[in-house]
Amino acid sequence: MTKPVVIVGASMGGLRAAEALRRFGYLGPITAIGDEPYAPYNRPPLSKDVLKGEVSHEAVAFPQRPATADVNWVLGTRVASADVANSTVTDDTGLVHPFSALIVATGLRPKRLQVTNGDLAGRHAVRTLDDAIALRAELVPGANVVILGAGFIGCEVAATARLLGCSVTVVAPGSHPINRPLGRMLAAEIKRRHEAQGVKFRMKTTVEDLLGEDRVAGVILDSGEVLPCDVFIEAIGSHTNTEWLEGNDLDLVDGVLTDGALRAVHNNGSVAENVFAIGDVARFANPIFDDVPRRVEHWNIPTDSAKRVGQVLAAQLAGENTNALLAEAFAPIPSFWSDQYDIHLLAFGLLGLADEIKLLHGEIEGDCVFGYYRESKMVGVAGIGMRSTVQGYRSEFKLEG
Ligand SMILES: Cc1cc2nc3c(=O)[nH]c(=O)nc-3n(C[C@H](O)[C@H](O)[C@H](O)COP(=O)(O)OP(=O)(O)OC[C@H]3O[C@@H](n4cnc5c(N)ncnc54)[C@H](O)[C@@H]3O)c2cc1C
């Protein structure tokens, strides 16, 4: 019997990989193993619209297309290890799944704060649907919410919690929320808009410990200040889910290092020809910008990388000569958005690479567009409102030559 393509991680990347394999003509078996109990769903609404209302799988589930109706979804099952040399993965029930090719789509999990008095109810992170369901139940009007971390997720949850009538304080070590990648001017404006909505900030500080017996009741800052707290939300970055791949001599320094066809790379630089990585967990170079491999945690990357893998792998499994395909560049345009109150932010490129940021259109207090430049070349564009103007800059991000 033909061995299946095994996809580990049954989320957006996993779903898009299955769809792409079918689109590029692969008709063989596909098994997708995911540790969450749910069919693939969309994460961005978990900190935005959906968190304001009733959080349910129905509200965020991706539609399943007929082409992938025969995918064997093994849900609620964690893959514990992989044996790349023998082309198998083993799940946490001990079941061994042989594969013809492995697609790694295991994404990220939130970092958690390590404190002495940490074993308390009322602590939250926002990555999964279950996280959002648990958090939503506690975001009641008047609750004292403290959010540690002022990146996109921290700020989005702050806005949502305010709209739900909570009292919100954001604590973060940086000088401004989302300072990186947006830059000081835009970050200061976003802070101002949050403050106008009643959010309080404690910047350049962090949380030293928590107060409470069974449940969090307060937060002790390293400045010595104590904040009352009923709900403590940690939005302090992520770990890559790659531990299960250890022991295969793959480069897992920060996610799975891949070549331009998203094939995993060994520590000695050789390529594992039947192991691919996609989405948040993949670290790849994007020749639009340079040859430095990076992970990009944006919504378009699972889809773009899955498409590339689907095309290469379908050809490879059909026994076709893939030399020309493998030589093609993988050069997706990173894109992301963020919604906070009436701030609708849209961006393209890698803003964090910039050494110069310029206001290109509009007024900072209203709708505006900023350009991000490295050595005078545009590497990013971001706007509040003015969507079509921002979109107009997409053509700046293309391969040279
Ligand atoms: C709250 C939130 C808001 C966001 N908002 C935006 C936004 O506004 N704009 C934007 O561009 N991007 C946003 N993102 C980022 C975007 O959602 C991610 O880029 C995208 O979800 C990545 O998809 P993925 O399939 O690579 O990984 P994930 O979605 O993380 O999926 C990985 C899956 O693999 C599972 N898994 C992990 N380890 C194992 C294992 N060993 N065995 C089995 N299964 C495993 C995980 O549980 C998970 O289900 C947001 C993310 C979050 C969490």
Side-chain angles (χ1 to χ4, degrees):
M1 220 179 96
T2 323
K3 286 195 267 180
V5 171
V6 170
I7 301 169
V8 182
S11 182
M12 179 157 74
L15 175 64
R16 297 292 178 244
E19 289 170 349
L21 280 166
R22 292 288 185 247
R23 192 172 338 123
F24 287 103
Y26 171 73
L27 298 174
I30 302 175
T31 295
I33 309 171
D35 60 1
E36 294 186 74
Y38 306 104
Y41 63 85
N42 199 17
R43 289 184 205 278
L46 298 179
S47 50
K48 308 181 182 73
D49 272 1
V50 163
L51 189 61
K52 279 181 227 153
E54 197 183 311
V55 190
S56 66
H57 182 246
E58 248 183 6
V60 287
F62 285 119
Q64 295 262 6
R65 301 195 168 116
T68 50
D70 61 350
V71 170
N72 176 25
W73 296 99
V74 182
L75 300 176
T77 302
R78 195 177 67 85
V79 168
S81 63
D83 180 345
V84 168
N86 289 305
S87 299
T88 61
V89 298
T90 303
D91 70 31
D92 58 3
T93 68
L95 203 65
V96 176
H97 303 261
F99 60 77
S100 56
L102 173 65
I103 302 179
V104 179
T106 42
L108 312 174
R109 66 180 181 278
K111 283 187 183 158
R112 302 307 297 258
L113 182 71
Q114 304 298 323
V115 283
T116 313
N117 187 32
D119 191 14
L120 298 174
R123 291 183 63 175
H124 295 269
V126 194
R127 180 79 198 175
T128 66
L129 176 58
D130 283 342
D131 291 340
I133 290 171
L135 176 60
R136 179 66 187 88
E138 299 203 336
L139 292 180
V140 294
N144 286 311
V145 174
V146 176
I147 300 170
L148 178 62
F152 282 107
I153 290 180
C155 286
E156 287 177 357
V157 174
T160 305
R162 271 308 290 147
L163 293 168
L164 289 169
C166 304
S167 164
V168 178
T169 306
V170 175
V171 177
S175 61
H176 289 81
I178 332 182
N179 199 21
R180 194 178 160 77
L182 293 185
R184 178 63 58 87
M185 263 174 92
L186 203 43
E189 174 59 15
I190 285 180
K191 180 166 181 267
R192 187 190 68 75
R193 294 191 194 195
H194 272 274
E195 284 169 337
Q197 298 283 344
V199 173
K200 296 176 276 290
F201 286 89
R202 297 288 185 276
M203 301 305 295
K204 297 189 182 167
T205 185
T206 189
V207 170
E208 201 141 273
D209 210 347
L210 303 177
L211 293 173
E213 289 190 0
D214 301 321
R215 203 193 146 82
V216 64
V219 160
I220 309 173
L221 303 185
D222 61 1
S223 60
E225 187 183 5
V226 174
L227 303 172
C229 178
D230 307 307
V231 183
F232 181 58
I233 303 170
E234 297 158 49
I236 52 176
S238 313
H239 296 290
T240 54
N241 289 321
T242 53
E243 291 81 355
W244 61 280
L245 283 165
E246 280 167 11
N248 291 291
D249 208 25
L250 297 173
D251 184 332
L252 305 175
V253 168
D254 174 26
V256 182
L257 177 67
T258 74
D259 71 358
L262 284 315
R263 297 179 301 178
V265 175
H266 287 111
N267 287 315
N268 67 6
S270 67
V271 161
E273 289 185 2
N274 64 342
V275 181
F276 296 77
I278 59 174
D280 280 5
V281 79
R283 182 162 55 98
F284 59 90
N286 187 329
I288 295 177
F289 302 95
D290 51 34
D291 57 6
V292 179
R294 297 183 186 85
R295 290 188 311 95
V296 181
E297 298 174 23
H298 297 336
W299 197 82
N300 72 306
I301 298 300
T303 300
D304 289 347
S305 54
K307 193 170 153 203
R308 171 88 166 128
V309 169
Q311 186 175 22
V312 170
L313 185 52
Q316 189 172 305
L317 292 171
E320 292 168 16
N321 182 332
T322 51
N323 290 345
L325 259 183
L326 292 173
E328 281 176 21
F330 178 57
I333 302 173
S335 74
F336 70 88
W337 75 98
S338 180
D339 298 329
Q340 302 161 38
Y341 321 103
D342 58 350
I343 309 170
H344 300 295
L345 194 116
L346 176 66
F348 296 103
L350 292 177
L351 282 53
L353 300 182
D355 52 40
E356 189 189 6
I357 303 174
K358 292 188 237 175
L359 177 64
L360 301 178
H361 305 276
E363 310 260 327
I364 180 82
E365 298 82 12
D367 286 354
C368 54
V369 177
F370 280 82
Y372 295 73
Y373 301 85
R374 180 174 62 182
E375 292 168 9
S376 306
K377 184 176 182 311
M378 185 175 252
V379 288
V381 61
I384 296 179
M386 305 181 95
R387 282 185 76 83
S388 53
T389 308
V390 179
Q391 266 157 349
Y393 283 94
R394 274 182 66 106
S395 55
E396 295 285 322
F397 307 109
K398 53 179 183 268
L399 287 175
E400 281 177 357

